Amino acid sequence: AQSVTQPDIHITVSEGASLELRCNYSYGATPYLFWYVQSPGQGLQLLLKYFSGDTLVQGIKGFEAEFKRSQSSFNLRKPSVHWSDAAEYFCAVGYNKLIFGAGTRLAVHP
Amino acid sequence: SQTIHQWPATLVQPVGSPLSLECTVEGTSNPNLYWYRQAAGRGLQLLFYSVGIGQISSEVPQNLSASRPQDRQFILSSKKLLLSDSGFYLCAWRNRDRVRRSNTEAFFGQGTRLTVV
């Protein structure tokens, strides 16, 4: 069955620290891969996406993600977190059927 | 440009009453359409998706149904609401996966907060 796993429900980092949010999927062949962010009271905003080609993808707000086929992973990274990055982050995978992980809530300490 | 409209924004309904949530998309043709429910700790749960008029795929057996009477209209319904149907419902659209290099991220509506009392 197709699935998306975000193992970390909550993550807390200090402002300026690096960040990595994990995402693993099960989908048969390599699907399209996405990361979305949802700030409190806001809608879902696309951070980045991967379809094919270079496995390191650059997104908005200084985020990047690396696709690793052998690990069925698509982890999201940021070298230096800002307080405004506090939000919930969702990994999503799929072709016509698009499924989301349970999300990782990021808190940022000053 | 493309826009998605979802209404109502909030809804309070008694148990056992019917439900109809509507979603329409403008500025695109033949989109894939989706209904999700968002609950704390469970992310976005895919309820239904559609790749064309009258084509509905149901992902979760439940008290809800979906219909796509027109190309850019997607309706979520229930004949009798349960307390467990309370939640935040999101509609989304994507361009169809015709060519593997096309722009296929999902765009979401503002959501409907449904409270069943």
Side-chain angles (χ1 to χ4, degrees):
Chain A
Q2 299 136 343
S3 65
V4 180
T5 302
Q6 293 181 247
D8 305 305
I9 299 174
H10 295 279
I11 284 183
T12 301
V13 300
S14 299
E15 191 168 18
S18 63
L19 172 71
E20 182 170 29
L21 302 182
R22 296 181 291 166
C23 174
N24 293 94
Y25 67 89
S26 172
Y27 207 92
T30 301
Y32 296 164
L33 300 158
F34 308 88
W35 275 98
Y36 284 83
V37 61
Q38 187 177 35
S39 299
Q42 302 296 313
L44 286 141
Q45 181 181 24
L46 180 72
L47 286 175
L48 45 77
K49 59 190 177 188
Y50 173 79
F51 298 152
S52 64
D54 191 347
T55 57
L56 186 61
V57 181
Q58 301 299 318
I60 63 171
K61 303 184 178 184
F63 285 92
E64 65 178 25
E66 185 173 13
F67 167 62
K68 292 185 177 180
R69 184 188 307 275
S70 61
Q71 299 177 20
S72 296
S73 69
F74 189 55
N75 293 348
L76 182 71
R77 301 194 293 248
K78 187 169 184 177
S80 178
V81 172
H82 188 263
W83 64 267
S84 61
D85 293 324
E88 190 157 22
Y89 292 80
F90 296 96
C91 179
V93 304
Y95 296 121
N96 289 321
K97 177 179 174 179
L98 182 63
I99 56 176
F100 283 74
T104 297
R105 186 167 296 279
L106 174 66
V108 181
H109 280 178
Chain B
S1 62
Q2 302 92 349
T3 56
I4 179 169
H5 303 280
Q6 185 181 342
W7 67 93
T10 59
L11 190 60
V12 180
Q13 292 284 99
V15 169
S17 65
L19 172 74
S20 180
L21 301 181
E22 189 163 343
C23 173
T24 59
V25 181
E26 296 177 356
T28 188
S29 298
N30 300 317
N32 285 358
L33 297 172
Y34 303 82
W35 278 111
Y36 293 91
R37 179 165 55 202
Q38 185 174 18
R42 296 192 62 185
L44 276 71
Q45 181 186 30
L46 178 62
L47 303 177
F48 302 94
Y49 71 98
S50 171
V51 299
I53 296 174
Q55 300 178 59
I56 308 295
S57 296
S58 175
E59 292 301 305
V60 181
Q62 57 200 336
N63 187 41
L64 301 170
S65 62
S67 61
R68 185 171 178 174
Q70 301 179 44
D71 181 45
R72 290 169 289 178
Q73 183 185 30
F74 206 24
I75 298 172
L76 183 69
S77 303
S78 174
K79 293 182 179 178
K80 290 185 178 181
L81 282 169
L82 306 173
L83 288 174
S84 58
D85 292 323
S86 294
F88 189 58
Y89 290 83
L90 286 161
C91 179
W93 72 272
R94 297 169 76 192
N95 284 327
R96 274 234 190 126
D97 180 16
R98 291 193 186 91
V99 177
R100 197 173 168 78
R101 296 182 184 277
S102 61
N103 183 3
T104 62
E105 65 259 37
F107 298 92
F108 288 83
Q110 291 302 301
T112 296
R113 175 73 60 188
L114 171 66
T115 304
V116 182
V117 297

